[in-house]
Amino acid sequence: IETTIPAQSREIWNKHRVQKFNTGDEFQERFISHVEWTLARSLYNCDDLAAYQATSQSVRDNLVIDWNKTQQRQTARDPKRVYYLSLEFLMGRALDNALINMRTDTDVTDVGDTDETLTKGNTSREMIKNAMSELGFKLEDILDEEPDAALGNGGLGRLAACFVDSMATGNYPAWGYGLRYQYGIFAQKIINGYQVETPDYWLNFSNPWEIERAEIQVPINFYGYVDRGQNEKSTLEPSDWIGGERVLAVPYDMPIPGFKTSTVNNLRLWSAKPTTEFDFKKFNNGDYKNSVEEQQRAESITAVLYPNDNFLQGKELRLKQQYFWCAASLHDIVRRFKKGKRPWSEFPDAIAIQINDTHPTLAIVELQRILVDLEKLDWHEAWSIVTSTFAFTNHTVMQEALEKWPISLLGHLLPRHLEIIYDINWFFLQDVEKKFPRDMGLLSRVSIIEESSQERQVRMAYLAIIGSHKVNGVAELHSDLIKTTIFKDFVKIYGANKFTNVTNGITPRRWLKQANPKLAQLISETINDPEDNYLLDMSKLTQLSKYAEDEKFQKKWNDVKQFNKQRLADLIKKLNNGVDIIERDHIRNTLFDIQVKRIHEYKRQQMNIFGVIHRYLTMKELLQSGASIEEVSKKYPRKVSIFGGKSAPGYYMAKLIIKLINSVAEVVNNDKEIQDLLKVYFIPDYNVSKAEIITPASDLSEHISTAGTEASGTSNMKFVMNGGLIIGTVDGANVEITREIGEDNIFLFGNLAENVDELRYKHQFHNKGLPASLAKVLDAVQNGAFSPQNHSEFMPLIDSIKSHGDYYLVSDDFEAYISTQELVDQVYHKDKKEWLKKSILSVANIGFFSSDRCIEEYADTIWNAEPVKSE
Ligand code: Z2T
């Protein structure tokens, strides 16, 4: 590797080369030096926050050493590199994860057991915990000081976070590229039962996990015009785009440590800042002041994450974010490629770019622009390089989430890119016409430009398909659906092989070891794996199967669940102003039923709360007809229904669902008659760090989307990996979960995706009426049982079912849902051994859903990339 340092200086560099801390004592030394030097504090004013900062800085020092080595190794070997472009990375906290993944030198060279150094296996965390305790700090409290890096909405952003973890763990030379939003997803407050959004200023205290690369400043242009000189060149020829507004993109790097490897990869997040230089020629005097103000507004590009999950808002600033990030990332990628001095034709051998949904689709256009306009490649040569480089992951079939940008907006912001899009479309449609000369409707159906709507729009998904060599869905059912519905014309054009499936996964480091240390310990003891190798090879978990009916083991398993339920009850108490929702003594025989995810009508939290209301009303009826509370409890044993999740700020129906949940909680939790047999609680501000407490505590979790609407779901996997059972529809990854763990171990119900169209059609034209169970619930809601001051408050939720065609088919699935819930109660309370057996067998067979397996599939079947090992 090249360096500007003279050869004779190298000895000195070597003599003073930085070293990791490897013992508790060395950690303490490093910690104190950070308290004193980095934070300019001391023994006398080091509070928990300062201790968190100093610990993180110390751990980061170790990571940076491996980060540097990893990058040097990758430069030297020059393997094919992978870039994962995602507008969202929902990372959560970094410190505990780093403590689990981090390696000290003693992990590598076994120095034997002493008090201070590491015992074999991954005990850096133990070592630091002890060292901190000697310094006067409790690790758990210190970890709690860290704000979540909440740069994502939900599943899509968390998937990207799991993927960077698995790419580092698998030693892939892979970087993530995203945006460094100053405000992540808003913090949710619940005030009088309503969601209130407050800003998430996660950078309030300095962020020890980011390294600003202020020396790198990529200029990014917007607006302006295209100049092709006097003699009317074609748009296919190199053209000059004269931008009208310019901002700078500055990268912030976050180290991503792999587990049990010295590979530390990079997550590069771009931040916008104003340029200082100014091109006076472009601005006449009148525009000068305006232009200065524009420049000062540069920061607004990366100010805030758009808070919509599965919904397109279509704002200019969002498009600006997308281009800013694509252009900066492509510039960086191309610069790195050019250092290798390889011919352009080898670009796709050197680089694979995965685009996470259509948000990064402009990167396809930007690469074509770079190759044609700046590097002067022939159009077709350039386009062949582009399409061999990119691959596209689709995450939804929901119409309202599919990105379309008005021509006027795109052409104004990015005039040259719009020309390129037109030309891409022109060549594409020509090919299609040649292949299918008699199919008249086909051309307009597959055109990148949608002409039918009021305003002509660019269909980003079509552009992404045309510009990629592979398109994948995120679970089998979803990947089949995109081939037969939204992208079916493209299957006809390109053949079925361009379309593939990679079922989602989750990282077992965060979602088992970190979130559930008690279960992780029981597993490693039981399968005799003290070094936690099962976290890299989850097929090892099948060894648990032989203990599924072992009563002694079942008791240990149950004790872990009990501990985790207790831990969640403690959190709920804290969030509920110190008031317990579930009495301590009752936790053990209370079924924890949890649905936590973004609030969306298609995810059907409304069906869940209607089910709760049904249970409550039936309990009350039984009591009224003279049944004793004991008799009632036979049919409806103890249960707590826990909800959590954010609604998009502008999503009226989702917000109303939150209010209904809280209103039901108010009534049910205060009804003395039912004697605490049923409780309801909405956990405010659901996020990654709360998920780490919530997930391990479920007995049952709900994944009850209308069949065909949830592309995959990933919390379903998290819950099963933590020994919870699932009630769910035949949707998304529930299908593969069932295949892996066995249909005896999951509570499936409801209509199938293949019948959804017909059911919706029936709702439009025939009034089937509601099942009695649901009618009873809706009547109570309509009569103000949960809104005494305002009987009509929840009418929109009722109307959507009764008058607006019940698009999400709540009425079609409700009875099956209720009876399946009753089956759940019976197994849980009448046959605890059977329940525990199901739980153990589920964990034993959940290995497939490790994101390590996903990444291997992407690498083998899409990227053609290989790991770079340190040896
Ligand atoms: C999102 O979280 C998901 C899909 C989107 O489509 C957008 C967002 Cl923000 C544009 C989710 C899916 O809803 C979920 O089923 C899936 O598991 C997840 O992406 C990861 O693939």
Side-chain angles (χ1 to χ4, degrees):
I1 310 169
E2 286 171 48
T3 170
T4 50
I5 306 294
Q8 64 270 28
S9 309
R10 287 204 175 186
E11 215 171 289
I12 302 171
W13 279 81
N14 245 328
K15 182 173 122 201
H16 296 298
R17 75 178 177 280
V18 293
Q19 274 175 336
K20 293 185 191 170
F21 66 80
N22 290 304
T23 64
D25 186 60
E26 285 167 11
F27 166 78
Q28 289 166 346
E29 184 188 358
R30 184 68 55 88
F31 174 94
I32 289 166
S33 74
H34 277 301
V35 170
E36 298 268 351
W37 279 327
T38 310
L39 306 175
R41 292 205 190 203
S42 73
L43 173 63
Y44 303 101
N45 60 359
C46 186
D47 55 12
D48 279 0
L49 178 61
Y52 155 72
Q53 300 270 7
T55 306
S56 300
Q57 288 287 352
S58 306
V59 170
R60 176 182 126 169
D61 286 351
N62 273 21
L63 296 187
V64 165
I65 289 175
D66 282 340
W67 186 95
N68 272 321
K69 284 189 188 152
T70 304
Q71 303 314 315
Q72 280 159 29
R73 188 160 60 234
Q74 291 176 6
T75 304
R77 304 229 191 125
D78 200 23
K80 183 165 184 179
R81 289 164 199 267
V82 174
Y83 297 109
Y84 195 82
L85 268 58
S86 178
L87 210 38
E88 305 188 8
F89 287 91
L90 190 45
M91 302 297 287
R93 291 173 174 161
L95 178 54
D96 203 12
N97 187 246
L99 293 179
I100 288 167
N101 283 14
M102 176 181 90
R103 294 188 116 191
T104 57
D105 292 339
T106 39
D107 286 307
V108 188
T109 55
D110 183 12
V111 295
D113 298 3
T114 74
D115 281 348
E116 281 211 311
T117 59
L118 290 165
T119 55
K120 276 198 82 183
N122 180 61
T123 48
S124 321
R125 192 180 181 281
E126 281 304 296
M127 175 184 86
I128 288 172
K129 185 178 164 145
N130 294 336
M132 295 203 51
S133 151
E134 288 173 9
L135 287 165
F137 296 99
K138 202 170 154 224
L139 178 62
E140 269 66 34
D141 296 342
I142 295 321
L143 296 176
D144 244 355
E145 292 290 323
E146 180 171 358
D148 278 31
L151 309 183
N153 275 285
L156 174 144
R158 184 54 233 178
L159 187 75
C162 286
F163 279 8
V164 289
D165 180 280
S166 284
M167 290 189 298
T169 297
N171 300 301
Y172 289 99
W175 283 27
Y177 274 110
L179 287 182
R180 178 181 178 270
Y181 305 106
Q182 282 178 47
Y183 297 88
I185 187 70
F186 62 84
Q188 179 194 54
K189 294 212 153 56
I190 300 296
I191 299 180
N192 299 326
Y194 296 98
Q195 166 174 303
V196 174
E197 300 93 27
T198 64
D200 161 51
Y201 195 54
W202 68 297
L203 298 168
N204 204 1
F205 309 105
S206 72
N207 173 7
W209 299 105
E210 65 181 15
I211 300 156
E212 184 188 0
R213 306 285 185 189
E215 72 283 6
I216 304 177
Q217 305 190 338
V218 183
I220 307 292
N221 296 313
F222 300 101
Y223 308 107
Y225 58 96
V226 181
D227 182 3
R228 254 181 303 275
Q230 307 303 67
N231 33 5
E232 290 292 294
K233 279 194 299 184
S234 144
T235 52
L236 302 177
E237 310 226 1
S239 309
D240 273 340
W241 169 29
I242 317 296
E245 182 185 310
R246 173 175 281 205
V247 301
L248 296 176
V250 177
Y252 287 71
D253 290 344
M254 286 177 56
I256 308 291
F259 178 66
K260 280 185 190 282
T261 172
S262 59
T263 299
V264 176
N265 278 343
N266 195 19
L267 173 58
R268 176 157 282 188
L269 303 178
W270 298 100
S271 179
K273 71 171 219 178
T275 55
T276 44
E277 118 258 348
F278 213 81
D279 189 345
F280 289 97
K281 270 185 291 178
K282 282 180 203 137
F283 302 94
N284 60 40
N285 278 336
D287 272 349
Y288 178 75
K289 183 172 159 288
N290 272 335
S291 332
V292 172
E293 279 168 6
E294 277 282 289
Q295 288 289 64
Q296 288 175 336
R297 279 199 293 274
E299 274 110 338
S300 74
I301 294 175
T302 49
V304 59
L305 164 78
Y306 276 87
N308 307 302
D309 188 295
N310 262 293
F311 184 78
L312 165 73
Q313 222 182 341
K315 286 279 189 290
E316 176 171 348
L317 183 60
R318 167 77 167 196
L319 190 63
K320 251 178 140 168
Q321 289 185 335
Q322 293 185 350
Y323 180 66
F324 171 83
W325 150 66
C326 289
S329 306
L330 253 294
H331 178 94
D332 214 38
I333 292 167
V334 166
R335 179 181 57 92
R336 205 167 294 124
F337 174 76
K338 282 174 128 183
K339 281 202 264 177
K341 301 198 161 50
R342 294 167 69 176
W344 283 108
S345 60
E346 288 180 17
F347 194 85
D349 305 321
I351 290 159
I353 304 178
Q354 190 69 32
I355 61 172
N356 198 20
D357 213 85
T358 54
H359 315 149
T361 303
L362 286 171
I364 291 171
V365 189
E366 176 69 0
L367 182 56
Q368 179 71 1
R369 186 185 74 85
I370 292 172
L371 296 179
V372 170
D373 287 357
L374 308 182
E375 303 298 335
K376 319 287 185 207
L377 266 67
D378 162 72
W379 173 277
H380 298 283
E381 197 187 333
W383 186 241
S384 143
I385 291 169
V386 171
T387 55
S388 315
T389 302
F390 283 92
F392 160 48
T393 305
N394 168 275
H395 294 266
T396 190
V397 295
M398 303 284 289
Q399 279 305 325
E400 64 267 36
L402 299 179
E403 283 193 296
K404 292 173 186 174
W405 291 102
I407 296 281
S408 54
L409 174 55
L410 210 150
H412 177 55
L413 187 70
L414 302 166
R416 177 56 181 149
H417 294 77
L418 183 59
E419 290 181 350
I420 293 172
I421 291 170
Y422 279 140
D423 286 333
I424 293 169
N425 198 34
W426 195 77
F427 286 114
F428 168 67
L429 292 179
Q430 261 197 340
D431 287 349
V432 175
E433 199 179 17
K434 244 179 261 159
K435 224 170 151 190
F436 305 95
R438 275 170 299 277
D439 197 337
M440 295 311 290
L442 184 62
L443 290 192
S444 70
R445 285 207 307 277
V446 300
S447 172
I448 296 174
I449 312 298
E450 180 177 288
E451 312 264 359
S452 55
S453 54
Q454 284 194 334
E455 252 236 85
R456 294 161 75 223
Q457 311 224 320
V458 180
R459 297 154 157 167
M460 301 308 268
Y462 293 3
L463 178 54
I465 295 170
I466 295 163
S468 298
H469 67 283
K470 284 274 181 198
V471 178
N472 76 286
V474 290
E476 275 172 27
L477 177 67
H478 167 68
S479 298
D480 286 345
L481 274 176
I482 62 178
K483 282 196 279 185
T484 52
T485 62
I486 54 174
F487 301 151
K488 86 161 179 283
D489 289 322
F490 291 91
V491 175
K492 180 171 165 182
I493 292 164
Y494 289 113
N497 285 341
K498 178 158 175 168
F499 294 84
T500 176
N501 172 250
V502 184
T503 300
N504 284 167
I506 56 172
T507 169
R509 273 73 67 184
R510 181 176 295 260
W511 296 112
L512 179 49
K513 174 86 178 169
Q514 183 182 321
N516 200 341
K518 284 273 191 296
L519 187 63
Q521 198 191 331
L522 177 57
I523 290 172
S524 74
E525 264 170 38
T526 306
I527 67 174
N528 195 13
D529 181 9
E531 294 183 37
D532 289 345
N533 287 313
Y534 73 93
L535 292 173
L536 292 173
D537 175 7
M538 295 281 278
S539 69
K540 288 192 189 328
L541 291 178
T542 54
Q543 294 174 64
L544 292 170
S545 302
K546 55 177 175 283
Y547 306 97
E549 292 174 85
D550 175 331
E551 288 195 19
K552 265 166 69 191
F553 184 71
Q554 285 189 343
K555 185 184 177 305
K556 290 188 194 165
W557 194 262
N558 197 35
D559 286 347
V560 170
K561 184 58 78 180
Q562 172 64 18
F563 173 89
N564 289 324
K565 286 164 77 171
Q566 186 75 49
R567 196 171 62 151
L568 176 57
D570 291 342
L571 172 67
I572 290 176
K573 181 178 184 179
K574 200 174 93 190
L575 296 169
N576 196 42
N577 304 314
V579 181
D580 267 324
I581 292 286
I582 320 123
E583 241 185 80
R584 300 279 110 172
D585 299 345
H586 289 153
I587 290 176
R588 187 174 280 275
N589 53 19
T590 299
L591 189 154
F592 278 39
D593 176 337
I594 304 182
Q595 187 177 19
V596 284
K597 51 183 82 216
R598 288 297 291 252
I599 311 293
H600 209 299
E601 287 164 286
Y602 86 78
K603 296 175 190 281
R604 298 201 293 193
Q605 284 94 352
Q606 72 275 39
M607 188 164 79
N608 183 343
I609 195 66
F610 290 155
V612 172
I613 294 171
H614 180 266
R615 189 183 184 101
Y616 173 66
L617 294 176
T618 316
M619 290 168 80
K620 296 287 280 184
E621 276 169 15
L622 287 171
L623 288 169
Q624 235 111 64
S625 64
S628 69
I629 195 77
E630 283 71 32
E631 285 164 325
V632 173
S633 76
K634 290 242 162 58
K635 178 144 202 228
Y636 293 120
R638 286 190 192 284
K639 174 167 192 167
V640 56
S641 271
I642 295 167
F643 293 82
K646 292 171 186 176
S647 160
Y651 191 170
Y652 176 79
M653 291 294 263
K655 287 187 147 176
L656 200 55
I657 293 170
I658 293 176
K659 176 59 169 57
L660 178 60
I661 294 167
N662 284 309
S663 297
V664 171
E666 179 79 23
V667 171
V668 170
N669 295 352
N670 293 307
D671 188 331
K672 295 272 157 13
E673 238 179 48
I674 59 166
Q675 297 199 19
D676 294 349
L677 285 180
L678 179 61
K679 293 286 174 181
V680 180
Y681 189 69
F682 188 96
I683 297 175
D685 199 34
Y686 176 61
N687 59 15
V688 172
S689 53
K690 285 207 178 80
E692 290 166 17
I693 308 291
I694 295 167
T695 317
S698 84
D699 294 306
L700 183 77
S701 66
E702 308 222 6
H703 309 275
I704 57 177
S705 49
T706 310
T709 61
E710 188 71 276
S712 163
T714 43
S715 74
N716 42 6
M717 306 160 190
K718 289 171 203 164
F719 280 106
V720 176
M721 199 176 279
N722 284 280
L725 303 195
I726 281 183
I727 183 167
T729 46
V730 184
D731 199 19
N734 291 356
V735 175
E736 288 111 301
I737 291 175
T738 306
R739 183 187 309 152
E740 292 294 312
I741 70 176
E743 58 186 352
D744 291 346
N745 300 318
I746 185 166
F747 297 95
L748 291 182
F749 71 95
N751 285 284
L752 304 181
E754 51 192 312
N755 300 319
V756 163
D757 282 345
E758 192 187 324
L759 289 166
R760 281 183 179 156
Y761 183 85
K762 282 188 182 154
H763 282 297
Q764 299 271 307
F765 297 102
H766 313 276
N767 199 342
K768 273 202 317 178
L770 300 177
S773 53
L774 183 59
K776 184 166 86 179
V777 169
L778 297 189
D779 284 348
V781 175
Q782 188 161 356
N783 293 333
F786 307 102
S787 52
Q789 284 93 341
N790 175 8
H791 285 207
S792 61
E793 176 162 30
F794 301 114
M795 272 317 281
L797 290 170
I798 295 167
D799 285 340
S800 97
I801 295 175
K802 286 211 222 174
S803 325
H804 302 146
D806 191 13
Y807 191 74
Y808 298 102
L809 306 183
V810 172
S811 64
D812 302 276
D813 284 345
F814 193 69
E815 286 184 303
Y817 175 59
I818 296 297
S819 56
T820 307
Q821 280 287 18
E822 285 173 3
L823 178 64
V824 167
D825 286 321
Q826 296 317 312
V827 181
Y828 186 80
H829 288 280
K830 301 274 157 60
D831 201 350
K832 197 63 189 278
K833 281 180 195 146
E834 185 61 25
W835 184 278
L836 288 166
K837 178 182 165 194
K838 290 178 195 296
S839 165
I840 295 164
L841 288 176
S842 296
V843 175
N845 293 296
I846 202 65
F848 178 77
F849 299 96
S850 167
S851 45
D852 296 350
R853 183 269 315 156
C854 281
I855 289 303
E856 219 175 285
E857 278 186 28
Y858 277 100
D860 292 348
T861 67
I862 299 179
W863 303 332
N864 190 25
E866 251 140 46
V868 175
K869 301 262 166 57
S870 62
E871 297 82 41

